[in-house]
Amino acid sequence: MLSGWLVFILLGRLAIYVVMQIPLPKSLAKIEMIKKLHDCDMCFGVWVYSILAGFLQIDILELLGFWYVPLVSEILVGIVTSFLVHIFIIGWKAKFDVVVV
């Protein structure tokens, strides 16, 4: 169970990193909402992890004893996972980044 969750997190984070490295086309960069979504790893992570949860059928509500609710369960998994990964990344950077003054 835990190994599947870690693979899910790593696949999602890899997808987020790769897509954020690709520059947006000029036509999409003009749309402010899409530009903000592309530049924010947590915002983009919600979408990536929600879609990935749908494909891999990962359900966080089942672990908590609730029943499966289509689409709501995937979005909830995306929100929770994206937030936890974002907090982990912020902590990692705060601990190990080199600050040049």
Side-chain angles (χ1 to χ4, degrees), residues 18-70:
V18 168
V19 173
M20 288 182 76
Q21 295 303 310
I22 300 169
L24 281 174
K26 291 182 181 180
S27 59
L28 290 177
K30 292 178 184 176
I31 302 171
E32 191 65 28
M33 185 180 85
I34 293 178
K35 186 174 178 351
K36 285 182 181 179
L37 177 67
H38 184 266
D39 294 341
C40 174
D41 64 337
M42 186 171 146
C43 308
F44 191 61
V46 170
W47 291 97
V48 170
Y49 284 119
S50 296
I51 292 169
L52 200 58
F55 283 131
L56 298 178
Q57 298 177 350
I58 293 180
D59 184 19
I60 201 169
L61 292 178
E62 184 181 350
L63 294 174
L64 300 174
F66 295 102
W67 55 89
Y68 174 75
V69 180

Side-chain angles (χ1 to χ4, degrees), residues 3-16:
S3 62
W5 189 257
L6 288 175
V7 169
F8 167 70
I9 289 172
L10 291 175
L11 283 176
R13 183 62 196 155
L14 181 63
I16 293 166

